[in-house]
Amino acid sequence: MSSFSQFNLDPRILSAIERMGYQEPTPIQMEAIPVVMNGGDVMGAAQTGTGKTASFGLPLISRILHHANTSMSPARHPVRALILTPTRELADQVSKNLTAYAADTPLRSGVVYGGVDIRPQSDMLRRGVEILTATPGRLLDHLEQRATNLSQVEIVVLDEADRMLDMGFLPDISRILKLIPANRQSLMFSATFSEDITKLAKNFLRPNPTVIEVARQNQTAETVTQEVLQVLDREKTDVLIDILKTRGENNQPMQQVIVFVNAKVTCRRLARTLERVGINADAIHGDKTQEERQTALDGFKAGTIHVLVATDVAARGLDIKELPCVINYDVPFCAEDYVHRIGRTGRAGAHGLAVMLATSEDDKLIDAIEKLTKQSFTQVPTRPLSRRARSEMRHERESMERPDTPEDERAARDRARAYVPPSQRHRDPIFDTPYRERQPQRTKPEELHVFEREVRKPRQLAALLGGMRIPLKD
Ligand code: AMP
């Protein structure tokens, strides 16, 4: 049996691995750890769920460990390793893992992403961190504010590089990479290898990086059973509810499932509909603030939410342990999203189920998925559902649908930035201002001047002239 001790990792890293309960390295870890330990560049094709975070995280910590120190001076804790990720959720997750792996060392690690208050992040950066995980946009904000700099970075990781390209982050990434010394070590991970990714690797990595593919390119994990159900468009919600209520353990309701949809509006409405029929559901999409997304995710992880309805942008990279099932309520517009979606289940060797609802309109999209994943689906007709269940849901389903695009994601980020907490809204200039003791006034206040000019003097004059009435101003 292979073990982590074969990699020459520091005992302080090995103790963290033991605490995490990792018993043996996963295939990507077997291949990537020795290369990264030797200082080589890596282009890795690995889905989330294969253990790729540890495959770069463990050797990365090992390589910068000689810089570790307990000094309080920020200057002694410059950023040595930078990990860029496309979404806040993934950034958070990667950073949590890195923090856990480095817990027995004095190395500091931190994370920055948009959609939340920038100040605590700036404070953290100013105190100094050796390992920084970041989304590109927010990192640039910090760099502009000079909260940190990247001149001491030795290792850069581009995680889910394909998604970063999809989301239009290429210019941001290029700007960031220009600020990092050229003799750095670079690691790039992507669930799929497209032409664009190969081009990016050419510019970003040193020549001849080690290419590591744990599953065949664009392949879905073998541990996932994939089902495609033929449905009529108007029956989709009914079929979904039927699956959710009957396909859990012992034909009981499902306890933890992500339902993927293509549009935010479907996401919101479907979550509401499920709630209405007694299923604990929440929605996670690009319009939600970071706080709302985290609440939904926490509820899902804690088991109070059984069904998370999600769009692709919001759900990328979510690491939810042992997710037994994902359902594609909509067939994804982009075949590669199918690979990502079903990669949420069947992780780290566990068995998973991926069900997709397909209407006759989806034939072209299904063809594209079959071509990409080199398999052919057997489409199964669904059993008829009760008329009542159908009529209950029908009115919920009509509306214009709009895909959740990177632009939406950015707009949501801006909205989150502009968010004012309730405690600071509607400030009344008098009642919400703290009471301040007034200094005794030596000069005559302005109101007295006005009173004298407008009222008292004309009145005195009027009295002398025999008591004319002077109209008083209010
Ligand atoms: P990742 O692909 O990095 O998102 O990892 C997926 C999940 O597998 C995470 O929850 C990791 O903590 C876990 N994991 C990573 N490496 C191992 C390992 N060698 N043994 C068991 N679990 C692991």
Side-chain angles (χ1 to χ4, degrees):
M1 191 168 101
S2 47
S3 98
F4 283 98
S5 54
Q6 74 197 73
F7 298 127
N8 211 11
L9 293 163
D10 190 274
R12 288 167 289 181
I13 303 176
L14 290 174
S15 59
I17 295 172
E18 203 180 322
R19 214 170 31 246
M20 301 284 287
Y22 300 175
Q23 301 201 331
E24 55 177 319
T26 62
I28 181 126
Q29 290 161 3
M30 282 298 288
E31 291 199 45
I33 294 176
V35 181
V36 183
M37 287 291 278
N38 276 331
D41 281 9
V42 167
M43 182 171 172
Q47 289 166 230
T48 305
T50 51
K52 79 175 147 71
T53 314
S55 80
F56 65 77
L58 301 173
L60 170 155
I61 292 167
S62 180
R63 285 190 60 79
I64 60 167
L65 198 49
H66 64 282
H67 293 298
N69 66 86
T70 50
S71 163
M72 294 300 285
S73 159
R76 300 285 315 280
H77 300 277
V79 180
R80 306 278 184 187
L82 174 69
I83 300 99
L84 292 176
T85 74
T87 64
R88 335 160 195 188
E89 285 79 11
L90 183 61
D92 211 24
Q93 207 166 279
V94 167
S95 180
K96 276 189 184 132
N97 278 342
L98 292 175
T99 305
Y101 301 149
D104 297 339
T105 77
L107 288 174
R108 301 175 179 179
S109 81
V111 59
V112 298
Y113 47 76
V116 292
D117 190 356
I118 196 165
R119 281 162 301 185
Q121 295 178 355
S122 307
D123 294 345
M124 177 267 295
L125 291 175
R126 291 204 163 92
R127 283 194 299 273
V129 281
E130 280 91 0
I131 306 167
L132 178 62
T133 308
T135 52
R138 180 52 69 94
L139 177 61
L140 282 170
D141 292 345
H142 284 292
L143 290 167
E144 272 160 25
Q145 292 182 6
R146 300 191 192 286
T148 189
N149 80 73
L150 305 177
S151 61
Q152 309 283 312
V153 171
E154 296 173 5
I155 305 182
V156 186
V157 182
L158 278 194
D159 199 8
E160 301 208 341
D162 48 346
R163 196 59 177 188
M164 291 208 265
L165 289 192
D166 287 351
M167 291 174 74
F169 281 136
L170 187 57
D172 288 355
I173 293 171
S174 306
R175 277 178 65 197
I176 292 168
L177 294 179
K178 280 193 191 124
L179 302 171
I180 299 176
N183 60 356
R184 62 177 185 248
Q185 180 180 8
S186 308
L187 318 172
M188 192 168 107
F189 290 87
S190 173
T192 49
F193 273 178
S194 63
E195 258 178 50
D196 285 344
I197 286 293
T198 319
K199 217 157 87 190
L200 178 70
K202 260 197 193 132
N203 294 329
F204 166 62
L205 305 176
R206 287 173 288 191
N208 306 319
T210 305
V211 177
I212 298 174
E213 288 185 62
V214 285
R216 209 176 67 226
Q217 205 166 305
N218 304 329
Q219 199 184 34
T220 48
E222 277 163 16
T223 46
V224 180
T225 304
Q226 301 171 63
E227 272 181 24
V228 179
L229 302 183
Q230 264 173 359
V231 289
L232 293 176
D233 194 44
R234 59 188 164 79
E235 283 179 349
K236 271 168 97 173
T237 308
D238 315 14
V239 171
L240 173 71
I241 291 170
D242 187 59
I243 295 171
L244 293 174
K245 288 196 165 174
T246 59
R247 292 202 55 184
E249 237 172 85
N250 302 325
N251 300 335
Q252 293 298 304
M254 288 184 154
Q255 295 300 311
Q256 211 186 25
V257 48
I258 297 190
V259 175
F260 282 99
V261 295
N262 288 351
K264 285 182 289 196
V265 63
T266 323
C267 191
R268 273 191 289 266
R269 215 177 36 228
L270 194 55
R272 273 203 307 272
T273 307
L274 297 180
E275 281 277 335
R276 211 168 298 151
V277 295
I279 295 170
N280 291 338
D282 206 342
I284 182 163
H285 53 74
D287 264 359
K288 290 210 159 183
T289 63
Q290 177 60 22
E291 218 179 339
E292 289 167 330
R293 291 181 187 199
Q294 201 58 50
T295 309
L297 196 56
D298 290 346
F300 188 61
K301 284 189 173 175
T304 48
I305 307 270
H306 296 153
V307 181
L308 200 57
V309 187
T311 57
D312 293 290
V313 168
R316 265 300 286 229
L318 296 183
D319 174 27
I320 294 152
K321 280 209 177 81
E322 293 157 29
L323 187 62
C325 178
V326 295
I327 299 176
N328 284 298
Y329 177 86
D330 292 323
V331 178
F333 292 138
C334 168
E336 288 179 357
D337 281 339
Y338 179 77
V339 180
H340 296 306
R341 287 180 179 189
I342 79 162
R344 315 291 100 214
T345 182
R347 299 178 136 208
H351 184 258
L353 172 68
V355 182
M356 181 153 70
L357 308 187
T359 69
S360 53
E361 308 269 291
D362 296 322
D363 286 353
K364 274 204 180 124
L365 298 177
I366 301 243
D367 282 351
I369 295 171
E370 289 181 328
K371 218 165 126 198
L372 182 79
T373 58
K374 302 184 178 72
Q375 61 183 328
S376 66
F377 295 122
T378 318
Q379 296 198 22
V380 186
T382 44
R383 62 189 162 88
L385 290 155
S386 79
R387 188 182 289 181
R388 188 168 154 258
R390 263 186 240 172
S391 68
E392 253 178 29
M393 303 308 151
R394 195 152 304 136
H395 70 279
E396 286 291 338
R397 293 204 298 270
E398 310 317 327
S399 166
M400 324 148 6
E401 311 226 319
R402 201 159 62 94
D404 199 18
T405 64
E407 284 71 35
D408 295 330
E409 177 77 359
R410 241 168 263 140
R413 223 168 34 218
D414 291 343
R415 258 196 313 284
R417 262 188 206 149
Y419 174 77
V420 180
S423 59
Q424 289 169 25
R425 283 182 212 151
H426 313 301
R427 280 207 152 222
D428 185 301
I430 295 173
F431 292 108
D432 292 346
T433 310
Y435 175 74
R436 249 185 267 123
E437 196 86 33
R438 279 205 173 183
Q439 296 298 320
Q441 273 179 327
R442 292 213 185 95
T443 52
K444 248 189 216 171
E446 177 63 10
E447 303 94 277
L448 276 185
H449 284 297
V450 173
F451 178 72
E452 297 222 327
R453 193 172 64 237
E454 306 273 330
V455 180
R456 195 152 70 190
K457 287 198 177 140
R459 270 194 182 174
Q460 284 166 357
L461 186 64
L464 283 176
L465 296 174
M468 256 172 74
R469 280 175 72 90
I470 308 272
L472 276 181
K473 287 195 177 174
D474 52 27

